[in-house]
Amino acid sequence: MMSDLDVTANVISDKETQLTVKVPVGTIQSKVESRIRSLAKTARIDGFRKGKVPVSHIRAQYGAGIQQEVINDVIRDTVFEAIDKQKVRAVGVPNIDDVKLENDFLVYQATVETFPEVEVKGVSEIDVERQVATVSDEDVDTMIENLQKQRQTFETKDGELVDGDEATFDFEGSIDGEKFDGGSAEDFRLVIGSGRMIPGFEDGMKGMKAGEEKTIKVTFPADYQAENLQGKEADFKITVKEVKTPKLPELNEEFFELFGVKEGGLDKLKADVRKNMEREIKNAARNQIKQAVFDALVEKNEFDVPKAMLTQEIERQRQQMIQRFAAQFGGDPKTFGADMLPDELFEDQALRAVRLGVLVTQIIEKQGLKVDQERVTSFIAELAENYEDPAEVIEYYTNNQNERTSIESLVLEDQVVEYLVSQGKVTDKEVKYQDLLASAQQAMM
């Protein structure tokens, strides 16, 4: 820290401030001399023994370069002190220019983009719909049936193919009598009604039996991934080899134990499933109303944002997408470069995210909102319920400062949402369990 640092500020605009920084030359000279003497002790220069190079020789040969290095280091070490001294809310990296030695001072200018000071508008005009749902007995039964389907097996049958059956078959496709790449396969397995094939293919197979052969006509979609097949009509010769029908596992002790139920049977499984579903809709409802309120807030507040903030958010979203691609398709994340995912792909969402971040920050500051630590504790406890050892998870989130800070940010966002809801108009709408989950999932995409 340099207490004798002289800093003046000039506000260029609501997004940019220019600082003029003066550093006493004595600071520069002492550092230059120190480095020159240090170099003289270690330099290897023809005609001199190591450690015996005259300081005057080092000063003459390297003094200018060393001075420039020191100046660069001093600027690096003082610019953020200068920003802090003027209480400037800087974003991004300062732009340094007009560096000069003047009247016993090193003088430079640092231009910084600043955190926007905006007046949050339209809070009382927010009018959103809040979706609410309850978990019915039918919902629980459907969920248990889905759990059975996830573990279903298939057994051979003699009858016709219907939705849900699995077929093993060969197929050979052609367009105008000519085969095409990727249009043939042997021993292909397909669950009828899964939607894996192009429209019309699976419907054309319905009613076929093992040992039957049939040619069906289908048309490739106009937006099909292979451009040479888009909109083309094709013939597929299909030979069914085997037909299997799904068999759900029985609701017995063995099935219950798959979900950690060792006592209480079906009733206990239903109770556990209901508890999980209720936790899901609680989280879904939180996300749905948050998204609705934040969308309404951003819509009523359009303003320019610092380029640095936008650039940082674009890069954050790009890296997030790269990680998703790498996890989904495999491969090294480094192979997904900016040329594959250009800035333009993220600009709209990044601008929205930056504006929202500014607005939320302004609300927190103006309303004096503080993180409710009791809610943080409850949030962590609810999160831990999803794990086998809740106590271990609670300890992790409680004692890991980075993770706890992340939870605190989420809780504080919820408090902002509650403030906005209290100031605006919210209409509750009863929806089905699945519809609420779908709405929340869509909002997060």
Side-chain angles (χ1 to χ4, degrees):
M1 297 287 289
M2 297 186 181
S3 57
D4 53 354
L5 201 65
D6 184 0
V7 187
T8 57
N10 176 32
V11 178
I12 299 173
S13 70
D14 58 353
K15 299 190 299 298
E16 201 170 46
T17 294
Q18 187 179 73
L19 303 176
T20 300
V21 185
K22 292 184 178 181
V23 184
V25 168
T27 303
I28 310 295
Q29 292 172 336
S30 63
K31 289 179 180 291
V32 170
E33 287 301 313
S34 177
R35 291 196 187 185
I36 287 175
R37 294 182 183 282
S38 178
L39 182 58
K41 295 177 182 179
T42 59
R44 293 181 180 274
I45 298 178
D46 292 343
F48 299 96
R49 287 182 296 164
K50 181 180 179 182
K52 299 298 183 180
V53 182
V55 170
S56 59
H57 184 80
I58 296 293
R59 184 179 293 109
Q61 289 288 99
Y62 304 105
I66 291 174
Q67 177 173 288
Q68 188 58 54
E69 288 179 2
V70 169
I71 287 174
N72 291 340
D73 290 348
V74 167
I75 291 173
R76 179 200 64 201
D77 295 339
T78 58
V79 66
F80 289 104
E81 181 183 346
I83 290 171
D84 184 62
K85 195 169 185 177
Q86 288 293 323
K87 295 181 171 51
V88 175
R89 299 179 68 179
V91 295
V93 179
N95 180 43
I96 308 298
D97 58 15
D98 200 17
V99 180
K100 56 190 175 185
L101 293 171
E102 182 181 82
N103 298 329
D104 297 327
F105 287 95
L106 166 67
V107 183
Y108 67 89
Q109 290 185 337
T111 304
V112 294
E113 290 189 287
T114 54
F115 193 88
E117 296 290 339
V118 300
E119 180 184 352
V120 183
K121 302 175 183 177
V123 171
S124 63
E125 300 169 9
I126 289 177
D127 187 352
V128 295
E129 188 175 81
R130 175 169 51 199
Q131 296 185 0
V132 294
T134 55
V135 178
S136 67
D137 292 342
E138 183 181 355
D139 291 328
V140 173
D141 291 340
T142 299
M143 181 60 71
I144 290 178
E145 185 178 345
N146 289 338
L147 295 177
Q148 289 178 278
K149 288 179 179 178
Q150 291 171 8
R151 291 157 178 79
Q152 71 183 7
T153 57
F154 289 89
E155 56 184 21
T156 303
K157 78 170 191 178
D158 295 328
E160 299 179 345
L161 271 172
V162 297
D163 276 336
D165 285 347
E166 181 186 76
T168 301
F169 61 100
D170 299 339
F171 65 87
E172 184 178 276
S174 62
I175 296 176
D176 296 330
E178 297 291 332
K179 296 180 183 179
F180 56 90
D181 290 341
S184 302
E186 294 183 353
D187 294 326
F188 191 83
R189 295 171 64 182
L190 174 70
V191 175
I192 302 301
S194 64
R196 287 178 56 196
M197 309 300 279
I198 61 176
F201 193 102
E202 294 173 34
D203 285 340
M205 291 184 64
K206 290 179 182 178
M208 295 184 70
K209 297 180 180 181
E212 285 189 357
E213 184 179 291
K214 179 181 179 183
T215 298
I216 63 174
K217 287 184 178 294
V218 295
T219 300
F220 283 94
D223 59 351
Y224 191 67
Q225 57 188 4
E227 293 184 6
N228 63 310
L229 299 178
Q230 292 177 352
K232 297 289 183 65
E233 186 179 81
D235 293 319
F236 281 93
K237 179 182 177 182
I238 297 172
T239 303
V240 176
K241 294 182 173 179
E242 187 176 30
V243 175
K244 290 185 176 182
T245 190
K247 181 182 179 182
L248 297 179
E250 294 182 11
L251 294 174
N252 53 25
E253 297 301 321
E254 181 181 356
F255 182 81
F256 301 147
E257 286 190 12
L258 293 174
F259 303 95
V261 176
K262 297 182 179 180
E263 296 181 357
L266 182 59
D267 288 341
K268 180 63 167 62
L269 177 62
K270 285 186 175 182
D272 288 351
V273 167
R274 181 183 292 276
K275 185 176 181 181
N276 287 334
M277 294 173 73
E278 288 173 345
R279 185 162 51 242
E280 280 186 322
I281 61 172
K282 181 179 180 180
N283 291 332
R286 177 192 292 131
N287 291 331
Q288 183 271 324
I289 189 60
K290 178 186 290 188
Q291 187 73 25
V293 167
F294 282 170
D295 282 347
L297 182 66
V298 172
E299 184 179 341
K300 296 179 184 301
N301 290 270
E302 291 189 6
F303 52 90
D304 292 335
V305 302
K307 184 178 179 180
M309 295 181 73
L310 188 60
T311 298
Q312 290 171 3
E313 179 60 23
I314 287 174
E315 184 58 28
R316 188 194 70 80
Q317 292 190 16
R318 178 165 34 234
Q319 291 303 317
Q320 193 176 59
M321 182 172 287
I322 287 172
Q323 293 300 324
R324 284 203 301 266
F325 282 168
Q328 185 174 356
F329 303 110
D332 187 348
K334 295 179 181 178
T335 61
F336 298 92
D339 55 334
M340 296 177 62
L341 301 170
D343 289 0
E344 293 77 12
L345 188 64
F346 306 97
E347 280 181 350
D348 289 344
Q349 281 301 312
L351 178 58
R352 177 196 180 279
V354 172
R355 283 176 174 165
L356 178 59
V358 170
L359 293 167
V360 168
T361 299
Q362 294 291 78
I363 291 171
I364 291 171
E365 292 180 354
K366 294 291 175 62
Q367 299 304 317
L369 299 179
K370 304 293 183 183
V371 179
D372 185 334
Q373 293 300 332
E374 289 186 5
R375 292 179 61 160
V376 172
T377 300
S378 297
F379 194 103
I380 293 173
E382 289 179 13
L383 183 66
E385 290 180 0
N386 294 313
Y387 295 85
E388 186 175 345
D389 188 349
E392 182 179 346
V393 176
I394 290 173
E395 182 179 0
Y396 172 73
Y397 279 98
T398 300
N399 299 326
N400 185 308
Q401 189 56 51
N402 287 337
E403 295 295 341
R404 185 176 181 87
T405 298
S406 178
I407 298 296
E408 288 176 345
S409 295
L410 291 174
V411 169
L412 192 53
E413 274 192 2
D414 287 343
Q415 292 176 235
V416 172
V417 171
E418 289 181 2
Y419 164 73
L420 293 172
V421 165
S422 71
Q423 300 299 305
K425 178 183 178 182
V426 177
T427 304
D428 287 343
K429 179 184 178 182
E430 188 77 29
V431 298
K432 294 182 179 179
Y433 162 80
Q434 290 292 350
D435 292 338
L436 177 53
L437 293 187
S439 293
Q441 184 64 33
Q442 184 65 32
M444 295 173 64
M445 294 179 64

